[in-house]
């Protein structure tokens, strides 16, 4: 779906990039004129992502930001999932499993305002998969979503994960509706446990 939505020369924002499952293939699509802004706070996963970008010849396309995104700046402890501590895809700022380490947390809007993220060319597609902190990420990128209007925003919506932060799937939908996005339920059905929003 992302591959169909994004074109050469465009900008993809991958929040919760892990080792690059999405970042690397999309970087090949956007090409040298495009950009992938990949956010992965875990040092080990970020290192694998950087290595994959190097191996693929995409270091000029993929910017790896070793930080978590949230609704305000600070730092939090990233934890592994207690039931699967070896699974790097299940790490969260809001579980009680083994500590991976303390990581910086930044707002996306703040990074754009500071120039750490270049949004001059726009933002064309966004994927957010952060094990329950999705509403916090959205809150911290509200201005950018409103002003840049990416054509597609895919958000992981697992109710039990969102409840870790006092949020819900309904909160995700309400936030995006308030920004003028519409939900694409047929697309979301094909992406189980995700919500797809289009401008």
């Amino acid at each position: 779906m992302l591959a169909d939505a994004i074109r050469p020369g465009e900008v993809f924002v991958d929040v919760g990039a892990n080792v690059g499952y999405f970042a690397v293939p999309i970087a090949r699509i956007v090409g040298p004129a495009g950009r992938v802004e990949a956010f992965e706070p875990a040092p080990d996963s970020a290192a694998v992502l950087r290595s994959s970008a190097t191996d693929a010849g995409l270091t000029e396309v993929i910017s790896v930001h070793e930080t978590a995104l949230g609704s305000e700046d600070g730092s939090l402890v990233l934890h592994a999932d207690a039931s699967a501590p070896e699974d790097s895809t299940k790490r969260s700022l809001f579980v009680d499993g083994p500590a991976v380490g303390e990581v910086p947390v930044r707002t996306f809007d703040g990074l754009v305002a500071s120039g750490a993220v270049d949004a001059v060319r726009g933002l064309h597609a966004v994927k957010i998969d952060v094990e329950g902190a999705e509403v916090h990420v959205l809150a911290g990128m509200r201005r950018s979503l409103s002003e840049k209007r990416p054509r597609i925003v895919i958000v992981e919506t697992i109710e039990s994960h969102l409840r870790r932060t006092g949020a819900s799937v309904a909160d995700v939908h309400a936030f995006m509706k308030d920004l003028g996005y519409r939900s694409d339920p047929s697309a979301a059905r094909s992406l189980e446990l995700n919500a797809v929003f289009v401008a």
Side-chain angles (χ1 to χ4, degrees):
M1 183 175 290
L2 285 167
D4 289 339
I6 201 158
R7 304 170 187 125
E10 294 190 331
V11 178
F12 170 56
V13 178
D14 188 357
V15 187
N18 198 256
V19 298
Y21 300 115
F22 291 90
V24 172
I26 297 298
R28 291 191 179 104
I29 293 170
V30 301
R35 198 85 198 144
V36 171
E37 302 288 349
F39 293 86
E40 175 50 53
D44 55 349
S45 295
V48 174
L49 174 51
R50 288 191 182 96
S51 178
S52 297
T54 299
D55 292 346
L58 295 167
T59 55
E60 298 302 313
V61 180
I62 302 175
S63 289
V64 180
H65 304 271
E66 201 170 308
T67 183
L69 291 184
S71 56
E72 57 185 30
D73 290 348
S75 64
L76 290 169
V77 176
L78 183 68
H79 294 270
D81 187 285
S83 63
E86 73 290 343
D87 188 345
S88 67
T89 68
K90 294 186 176 183
R91 292 168 175 171
S92 173
L93 298 172
F94 299 99
V95 294
D96 294 325
V100 175
E102 188 166 346
V103 299
V105 182
R106 300 289 180 265
T107 69
F108 185 82
D109 287 340
L111 292 171
V112 170
S114 72
V117 171
D118 181 1
V120 172
R121 288 176 288 178
L123 305 173
H124 302 95
V126 177
K127 180 224 92 184
I128 305 171
D129 177 356
V130 288
E131 302 301 299
E134 286 79 8
V135 171
H136 288 270
V137 172
L138 288 168
M141 65 189 320
R142 184 183 188 97
R143 186 185 320 120
S144 298
L145 292 173
S146 179
E147 293 177 357
K148 303 300 181 181
R149 304 293 296 168
R151 70 174 65 91
I152 184 170
V153 180
I154 299 177
V155 183
E156 184 179 65
T157 47
I158 300 176
E159 194 75 57
S160 60
H161 290 184
L162 289 161
R163 278 201 298 267
R164 297 168 179 167
T165 66
S168 67
V169 172
D171 291 335
V172 173
H173 284 267
F175 182 96
M176 295 303 293
K177 183 178 180 181
D178 189 53
L179 289 181
Y181 278 80
R182 63 180 177 82
S183 173
D184 185 341
S186 61
R189 276 194 293 274
S190 70
L191 296 174
E192 189 177 1
L193 303 177
N194 290 269
V196 179
F197 302 95
V198 291

